[in-house]
Short mmCIF file of all heavy atoms in Angstrom, two decimals:
data_model
loop_
_atom_site.label_atom_id
_atom_site.label_comp_id
_atom_site.label_asym_id
_atom_site.label_seq_id
_atom_site.Cartn_x
_atom_site.Cartn_y
_atom_site.Cartn_z
N LEU S 232 1.92 2.13 -17.04
CA LEU S 232 1.32 3.47 -17.05
C LEU S 232 2.21 4.52 -16.45
O LEU S 232 2.07 5.73 -16.69
CB LEU S 232 0.01 3.44 -16.21
CG LEU S 232 -1.08 2.54 -16.78
CD1 LEU S 232 -2.34 2.60 -15.90
CD2 LEU S 232 -1.43 2.93 -18.21
N LEU S 233 3.16 4.06 -15.63
CA LEU S 233 4.02 4.99 -14.90
C LEU S 233 5.33 4.21 -14.67
O LEU S 233 5.32 3.26 -13.91
CB LEU S 233 3.29 5.30 -13.59
CG LEU S 233 3.69 6.48 -12.75
CD1 LEU S 233 3.51 7.76 -13.56
CD2 LEU S 233 2.74 6.56 -11.51
N ASP S 234 6.43 4.60 -15.31
CA ASP S 234 7.65 3.81 -15.20
C ASP S 234 8.37 4.05 -13.85
O ASP S 234 9.07 3.18 -13.31
CB ASP S 234 8.62 4.15 -16.34
CG ASP S 234 8.09 3.64 -17.65
OD1 ASP S 234 7.21 2.79 -17.67
OD2 ASP S 234 8.55 4.17 -18.74
N LEU S 235 8.25 5.26 -13.33
CA LEU S 235 8.87 5.65 -12.03
C LEU S 235 10.38 5.49 -12.07
O LEU S 235 10.98 5.15 -11.03
CB LEU S 235 8.22 4.88 -10.86
CG LEU S 235 6.76 5.17 -10.63
CD1 LEU S 235 6.18 4.29 -9.51
CD2 LEU S 235 6.50 6.62 -10.30
N VAL S 236 11.00 5.63 -13.24
CA VAL S 236 12.45 5.69 -13.35
C VAL S 236 12.80 6.88 -14.22
O VAL S 236 12.01 7.28 -15.11
CB VAL S 236 13.02 4.39 -14.00
CG1 VAL S 236 12.91 3.22 -13.05
CG2 VAL S 236 12.37 4.10 -15.32
N GLU S 237 13.97 7.40 -13.98
CA GLU S 237 14.45 8.51 -14.85
C GLU S 237 14.64 7.96 -16.25
O GLU S 237 15.10 6.85 -16.46
CB GLU S 237 15.73 9.05 -14.32
CG GLU S 237 15.54 10.06 -13.20
CD GLU S 237 16.79 10.37 -12.46
OE1 GLU S 237 17.88 10.25 -13.07
OE2 GLU S 237 16.70 10.77 -11.30
N GLY S 238 14.25 8.78 -17.25
CA GLY S 238 14.37 8.36 -18.64
C GLY S 238 13.29 7.35 -19.01
O GLY S 238 13.43 6.61 -19.97
N GLY S 239 12.20 7.30 -18.24
CA GLY S 239 11.08 6.46 -18.59
C GLY S 239 10.22 7.14 -19.63
O GLY S 239 10.58 8.19 -20.17
N GLN S 240 9.04 6.59 -19.86
CA GLN S 240 8.17 7.16 -20.89
C GLN S 240 7.35 8.33 -20.34
O GLN S 240 7.07 8.39 -19.16
CB GLN S 240 7.20 6.09 -21.39
CG GLN S 240 7.84 5.10 -22.36
CD GLN S 240 6.78 4.27 -23.01
OE1 GLN S 240 6.25 3.38 -22.41
NE2 GLN S 240 6.47 4.59 -24.25
N THR S 241 6.99 9.22 -21.23
CA THR S 241 6.06 10.30 -20.86
C THR S 241 4.65 9.78 -21.06
O THR S 241 4.41 8.80 -21.77
CB THR S 241 6.27 11.53 -21.76
OG1 THR S 241 5.94 11.18 -23.08
CG2 THR S 241 7.69 12.07 -21.70
N TRP S 242 3.68 10.52 -20.49
CA TRP S 242 2.28 10.11 -20.66
C TRP S 242 1.88 10.16 -22.14
O TRP S 242 1.18 9.30 -22.66
CB TRP S 242 1.35 10.93 -19.80
CG TRP S 242 -0.05 10.43 -20.01
CD1 TRP S 242 -1.02 11.00 -20.76
CD2 TRP S 242 -0.59 9.20 -19.52
NE1 TRP S 242 -2.17 10.22 -20.79
CE2 TRP S 242 -1.92 9.09 -20.03
CE3 TRP S 242 -0.09 8.17 -18.72
CZ2 TRP S 242 -2.73 8.00 -19.74
CZ3 TRP S 242 -0.92 7.08 -18.42
CH2 TRP S 242 -2.22 7.02 -18.94
N GLU S 243 2.37 11.17 -22.83
CA GLU S 243 2.05 11.33 -24.23
C GLU S 243 2.48 10.08 -25.03
O GLU S 243 1.76 9.55 -25.86
CB GLU S 243 2.80 12.55 -24.78
CG GLU S 243 2.11 13.27 -25.89
CD GLU S 243 2.98 14.43 -26.40
OE1 GLU S 243 3.96 14.79 -25.69
OE2 GLU S 243 2.65 14.91 -27.47
N GLU S 244 3.70 9.59 -24.71
CA GLU S 244 4.21 8.40 -25.38
C GLU S 244 3.41 7.19 -25.00
O GLU S 244 3.09 6.32 -25.89
CB GLU S 244 5.69 8.17 -25.00
CG GLU S 244 6.63 9.20 -25.59
CD GLU S 244 8.03 9.15 -24.96
OE1 GLU S 244 8.31 8.33 -24.07
OE2 GLU S 244 8.83 10.01 -25.32
N THR S 245 3.03 7.05 -23.76
CA THR S 245 2.22 5.88 -23.30
C THR S 245 0.88 5.86 -24.02
O THR S 245 0.45 4.78 -24.47
CB THR S 245 2.05 5.97 -21.77
OG1 THR S 245 3.29 6.00 -21.14
CG2 THR S 245 1.29 4.77 -21.25
N ALA S 246 0.26 7.02 -24.13
CA ALA S 246 -1.03 7.10 -24.76
C ALA S 246 -0.92 6.77 -26.27
O ALA S 246 -1.77 6.03 -26.84
CB ALA S 246 -1.62 8.50 -24.59
N GLU S 247 0.13 7.25 -26.89
CA GLU S 247 0.32 6.97 -28.30
C GLU S 247 0.59 5.50 -28.50
O GLU S 247 0.05 4.86 -29.44
CB GLU S 247 1.53 7.83 -28.79
CG GLU S 247 1.58 7.91 -30.29
CD GLU S 247 2.86 8.60 -30.78
OE1 GLU S 247 3.36 9.50 -30.02
OE2 GLU S 247 3.39 8.21 -31.84
N LEU S 248 1.42 4.91 -27.61
CA LEU S 248 1.71 3.47 -27.67
C LEU S 248 0.41 2.68 -27.61
O LEU S 248 0.19 1.75 -28.38
CB LEU S 248 2.68 3.09 -26.56
CG LEU S 248 2.87 1.59 -26.35
CD1 LEU S 248 3.69 1.01 -27.50
CD2 LEU S 248 3.59 1.31 -25.01
N ALA S 249 -0.45 3.08 -26.64
CA ALA S 249 -1.67 2.31 -26.41
C ALA S 249 -2.51 2.30 -27.69
O ALA S 249 -3.08 1.27 -28.07
CB ALA S 249 -2.48 2.94 -25.28
#
Side-chain angles (χ1 to χ4, degrees):
L232 296 181
L233 198 57
D234 291 342
L235 297 176
V236 288
E237 278 169 23
Q240 284 192 284
T241 63
W242 181 258
E243 209 184 347
E244 288 166 3
T245 303
E247 197 187 326
L248 171 70

